[in-house]
Structures are given as C-alpha cells and as structure tokens.
Amino acid sequence: MIGYLIKKIGPNIKKEYVALQTTPDYSQKYIYLPLHYQPECSTSPLGGVFADQILMVKILSYCLPKDWLVYVKEHPIQWATSSLAFFDFRYQGYYQEIAKIKNVKLVPIETNSHKLIANSQAVCTVSGTAGMEALLRSRPVLLFGNISFHDCPGVFKIKNSAACKEAIEKIVSGFKIDQQLIINYLASLDKVSYHLNIDRGVQEYLKITEEDLARTIIGVMLSEVGENR
C-alpha cells in the first residue's frame, strides 16, 4: 500500500504526460498515432523492431511534410491502477522523448479517438484496431507491424523510412480509398475465416462452447492437412 501511494502521489509518468499534452488543432494537417498498451503481443512480437514505438514516431516525423503534425495519444489502459506495477511499463522521460521530436504533439488521453481519426490525413499504428477504424472512415493507414487486415486496400505496410516516405508522398498527392474495395476485402475475409474464440474473457459474448471450438479447430487442421498432401 505504501509503495502504491508513493507512485500515485509522487512523480509518475501520468503526471509527466499531462504536463506535456496539447489540445489538438483539427484545422492542422496531421497523422494520428495512438500508442499501444505495453507489454502486449500487439507490439511484441507483432511489431518486430517497432515494439519500440518511439522509433516509429521518429520515422514518421522524419518523413512528414514540414507543415504536418503527428498527434500521439497514450492508451488509456497504460495507466490502469490495478497493481503496484501500474506505472512501470513506461520509463520516466518516455513522454519527454516523444514530445521533443519535431512536429510531434501529445494530446490529452480523453480526446475522442474517432474525432482524431475523422479529421486526420492518415492513421499510424503498429497493429491496432485504430487502423481498421481509420479504413472504415476512408483514412489511409501506415502499418508498422502485422495484423489481420494488413492486405486491405488503403493500408501502407511500413518496414523502414523509405517505405514510410513513399507512402506519405502518395497521401500528400491525394491518395483516396475506394470504400467498395474495403467492402469487397471484408466480405472475402469473412468467407475464408472461421469463428473461433481463444479468449475466455469474451466467451459469454461469442457463445461458442469449448466443444464447438475444439471441433472447429480440428476440422481446420484436418482440412489443411488434406489440402497439402
């Protein structure tokens, strides 16, 4: 309890973030970059070297036009106070390092993500659902990691600064997303997908029994084995 109070009352990364945050100006041209919660598989291993999200921010800043900004927003669960470790997964100075990068602004954590996406020129993520939310709003995505929708039209797969610069040049030149292509992609994805559940936390919502889950997984495995004989 004493350790918890020291972290809560004393210097911590939440206070560091709040001291650096800026209210977003939606009239500016910007790319929205929501940080991922860490530690989590969405960055390690799915992000590769971009598990270091500051590296992603630096590459994006380097490739931006001079008059564009990057709006960075922390994941709200990052500051969850469920244990003594609630501020241990970002080091002191983490947000200061982000804030000093050229044309990068930290925005308040309570800022509406949907509004940030809707008014952006593009969304940047390692592997987050913000990418799909952007595509559904006709906003291109700069994807630095791996996720199920990485081949969706409107997604630019970024592995280095050269790929990032090329993608941003296309966006600056007026790249537009054809929503019909998004619909076609999602329909095709649905046809080749299987309804599975590996997270017990959502079991009650998906209504898939363990028996049905096991039966489906075995069926998929047998099908794959048969097709590859």
Side-chain angles (χ1 to χ4, degrees):
M1 178 60 73
I2 294 177
Y4 177 91
L5 289 175
I6 290 174
K7 286 187 176 184
K8 187 72 174 177
I9 298 172
N12 59 55
I13 59 169
K14 180 178 180 179
K15 292 179 180 178
E16 177 183 307
Y17 186 98
V18 171
L20 295 166
Q21 68 186 17
T22 302
T23 302
D25 178 358
Y26 295 108
S27 68
Q28 291 273 3
K29 289 187 175 181
Y30 67 88
I31 292 180
Y32 172 46
L33 192 159
L35 293 175
H36 286 258
Y37 169 78
Q38 290 180 303
E40 191 178 58
C41 71
S42 59
T43 52
S44 180
L46 295 181
V49 297
F50 297 111
D52 176 3
Q53 295 184 84
I54 292 180
L55 174 61
M56 174 174 60
V57 177
K58 287 181 176 179
I59 289 177
L60 185 57
S61 169
Y62 172 76
C63 297
L64 276 186
K66 292 181 179 179
D67 57 341
W68 284 34
L69 299 174
V70 181
Y71 285 159
V72 175
K73 187 167 81 110
E74 179 59 284
H75 195 293
I77 304 301
Q78 194 66 50
W79 300 337
T81 57
S82 58
S83 73
L84 285 178
F86 69 95
F87 286 141
D88 287 351
F89 301 122
R90 300 270 195 244
Y91 55 82
Q92 290 286 338
Y94 185 86
Y95 301 125
Q96 291 175 0
E97 189 171 349
I98 291 177
K100 70 183 181 182
I101 300 172
K102 183 181 178 181
N103 288 0
V104 174
K105 305 290 184 183
L106 292 167
V107 300
I109 200 167
E110 62 272 13
T111 308
N112 187 286
S113 292
H114 300 305
K115 187 174 182 179
L116 283 166
I117 292 172
N119 289 279
S120 70
Q121 306 303 307
V123 169
C124 178
T125 183
V126 177
S127 63
T129 54
M132 180 52 70
E133 292 171 349
L135 293 171
L136 295 176
R137 289 173 172 79
S138 298
R139 295 295 181 270
V141 176
L142 302 172
L143 186 71
F144 280 74
N146 294 289
I147 194 64
S148 57
F149 58 83
H150 64 270
D151 285 324
C152 186
V155 173
F156 293 93
K157 288 181 275 191
I158 311 299
K159 299 300 180 184
N160 50 46
S161 59
C164 186
K165 192 170 186 63
E166 181 180 351
I168 289 176
E169 286 175 352
K170 290 181 180 179
I171 293 169
V172 171
S173 297
F175 174 83
K176 299 294 183 183
I177 293 178
D178 184 339
Q179 277 295 306
Q180 187 58 53
L181 293 180
I182 303 291
I183 294 170
N184 294 348
Y185 174 84
L186 292 175
S188 299
L189 183 63
D190 181 63
K191 287 181 179 179
V192 298
S193 299
Y194 296 91
H195 288 229
L196 300 174
N197 171 34
I198 58 174
D199 186 349
R200 293 180 181 274
V202 297
Q203 183 79 32
E204 60 180 294
Y205 302 106
L206 296 182
K207 301 186 184 303
I208 299 175
T209 66
E210 291 191 5
E211 291 77 12
D212 289 338
L213 175 62
R215 193 176 296 110
T216 301
I217 292 175
I218 292 171
V220 172
M221 293 173 66
L222 291 174
S223 175
E224 290 295 320
V225 170
E227 290 179 1
N228 289 288
R229 282 181 176 175

